[in-house]
Amino acid sequence: MIISRTPYRISFFGGGTDYPEWYLKHGGSVLGTAIDKYCYLTCRYLPPFFEHRTRVVYSQIESCQTIDEVRHPSVREVLRYLNIERGVEIHHDGDLPARSGMGSSSSFTVGLLNALYALKGYMPTKQQLARESIHVEQEMIKETVGSQDQVLAAHGGFNHVTFHPNGEITVHPVILTQDRLQELNSHLMLFYTGIKRTASNVAASYVNDLEAKRRQLRIMKDLVEESISILNGNQDICAFGELMHEAWQAKRSLSASVSNGHVDELFAKAMAAGAIGGKITGAGGGGFMLLFVPPDRHKTVKEALSSLIHVPFRFDFAGSQIIYFQHEEDYSEQEQERAGQNVIPFQELSSLKSSQQVERKKQRISKMAANSLEERI
């Protein structure tokens, strides 16, 4: 039995430059952090005493015989990638809603790789987890996703991530004093807009023509270095919030799908109540809204956004972890034996009785027909 815990993430600057369509030509740069809200995955080899071989429990429940039958794309492709030949059971729990701009799908993929590797008795590095989850999502599932979510989920921490044209990805922890880090954290507020959206659909509205967005993307990349300079210097930290506002204006110009009237109205309320800057996390369109707000204005901003869920958070520095590991009974021999059996289908007692009644009725009708034929003869 394995339980993995993988953090969600928020990115501050550079989002959009982490798409391979861009950084393999121009390079990319992102400033982001993992937070203390997590995706939990429980995995085990399924004992061969069930009708199904694979069971996946998330917002839906899937009971399947083969990997090809699994509908959840990440589960199906990770099982295929790791060549999991035995039956497994996988349960998912998350601290935040899915499809909300917190990198939940990538956290799921990273956490599932980590858990299934542990099930096989192997401990991958954080670099390997990031690299392989990027491969699964971009190459196997063919999702329109960037490469920052997987890196931040796997590594954890507050990082400057650089994407090189040769495909290499380097992760540099941002070194700050504890007081400066806490000061930054205390100025951040996270609200759920209530709008669910699929990130790849929003991203597809601008990723397919990133060359045409060259000016905005270069601005967003340059803001990464500027924001780090603010944090490392003696400037008032509110300059970081002003930079977030500038970055949001650049990002929302990428596509009409990045923002909408409802989101713009929420931002206007927040800014009027005292927020200095902010952004929609992830690809945009909805999900979570990250705001930069001086602590003495938190109350007024919460009142202005009283219809939204406020989610307090802190930075996470551990990344994806195996938090529970316990060897269970090895049923591999029984599983091989079961594979060669032609097991009768499982059924409810009521269905069995009904089928028996139908069969008896058929037999009576057949007997009556035979007697009638005999009499006529």
Side-chain angles (χ1 to χ4, degrees), residues 219-344:
I219 290 173
M220 292 161 71
K221 182 182 177 183
D222 290 342
L223 291 177
V224 173
E225 297 291 344
E226 190 174 346
S227 65
I228 294 173
S229 295
I230 291 172
L231 293 176
N232 280 321
N234 296 320
Q235 279 183 267
D236 186 333
I237 202 166
C238 288
F240 189 92
E242 294 167 357
L243 219 58
M244 284 179 63
H245 181 71
E246 184 179 341
W248 170 242
Q249 297 308 316
K251 181 175 180 177
R252 66 194 300 275
S253 69
L254 291 175
S255 163
S257 299
V258 172
S259 190
N260 52 61
H262 179 64
V263 168
D264 290 342
E265 183 180 346
L266 293 174
F267 266 114
K269 286 182 179 180
M271 298 294 280
I276 293 175
K279 59 172 292 186
I280 291 294
T281 60
F288 276 90
M289 179 170 62
L290 178 68
L291 298 173
F292 189 96
V293 186
D296 60 349
R297 302 179 195 171
H298 281 202
K299 183 178 179 182
T300 55
V301 170
K302 285 180 70 174
E303 289 172 350
L305 302 177
S306 59
S307 62
L308 304 184
I309 296 174
H310 172 235
V311 180
F313 69 91
R314 294 189 177 278
F315 299 158
D316 167 275
F317 292 91
S320 185
Q321 291 183 297
I322 301 300
I323 61 172
Y324 182 83
F325 178 92
Q326 178 65 53
H327 286 289
E328 291 192 313
E329 184 73 24
D330 185 0
Y331 290 109
S332 54
E333 289 187 14
Q334 290 84 351
E335 194 167 356
Q336 291 178 1
E337 182 181 332
R338 162 72 187 275
Q341 285 184 280
N342 186 18
V343 179
I344 61 172

Side-chain angles (χ1 to χ4, degrees), residues 16-225:
T17 69
D18 65 312
Y19 286 91
E21 292 83 353
W22 173 262
Y23 69 75
L24 291 179
K25 294 181 181 178
H26 309 285
S29 183
V30 167
L31 180 68
T33 184
I35 66 171
D36 63 346
K37 302 296 177 283
Y38 302 98
C39 160
Y40 295 88
L41 284 159
T42 304
C43 302
R44 66 167 183 157
Y45 285 124
L46 186 68
F49 312 129
F50 297 88
E51 192 171 21
H52 52 268
R53 291 194 71 249
T54 298
R55 188 167 187 258
V56 189
V57 180
Y58 50 111
S59 58
Q60 303 176 36
I61 299 177
E62 298 189 48
S63 298
C64 310
Q65 290 293 346
T66 66
I67 291 177
D68 291 338
E69 294 175 15
V70 178
R71 297 190 304 275
H72 193 294
S74 183
V75 174
R76 182 182 63 249
E77 299 308 326
V78 170
L79 290 174
R80 184 174 286 141
Y81 178 75
L82 294 181
N83 194 29
I84 303 294
E85 297 179 345
R86 296 181 58 184
V88 292
E89 184 167 31
I90 299 166
H91 287 251
H92 167 259
D93 292 288
D95 287 338
L96 297 176
R99 297 165 54 215
S100 60
M102 300 302 292
S104 57
S105 60
S106 294
S107 293
F108 184 100
T109 304
V110 171
L112 184 59
L113 275 168
N114 205 4
L116 290 178
Y117 264 129
L119 201 62
K120 297 180 73 171
Y122 176 75
M123 187 170 66
T125 65
K126 294 187 181 300
Q127 292 89 343
Q128 182 181 355
L129 282 177
R131 183 178 66 252
E132 293 184 0
S133 58
I134 289 170
H135 171 76
V136 167
E137 292 192 323
Q138 294 179 358
E139 304 299 329
M140 299 181 71
I141 304 177
K142 304 293 184 183
E143 289 276 8
T144 306
V145 296
S147 303
Q148 63 163 307
D149 295 358
Q150 305 88 340
V151 173
L152 293 170
H155 286 265
F158 185 35
N159 297 308
H160 176 200
V161 185
T162 304
F163 303 92
H164 302 277
N166 64 0
E168 290 295 314
I169 300 173
T170 54
V171 181
H172 305 282
V174 178
I175 308 302
L176 300 174
T177 65
Q178 186 67 22
D179 289 344
R180 191 64 161 172
L181 200 62
Q182 289 179 352
E183 184 183 19
L184 174 61
N185 205 157
S186 70
H187 280 71
L188 300 172
M189 301 184 75
L190 194 62
F191 291 90
Y192 184 47
T193 66
I195 303 172
K196 294 182 177 181
R197 84 293 175 276
T198 300
S200 59
N201 293 342
V202 178
S205 68
Y206 56 83
V207 168
N208 294 330
D209 191 18
L210 286 177
E211 286 297 327
K213 313 293 192 304
R214 182 180 300 186
R215 184 182 65 84
Q216 296 99 314
L217 289 170
R218 283 182 171 164
I219 290 173
M220 292 161 71
K221 182 182 177 183
D222 290 342
L223 291 177
V224 173
E225 297 291 344

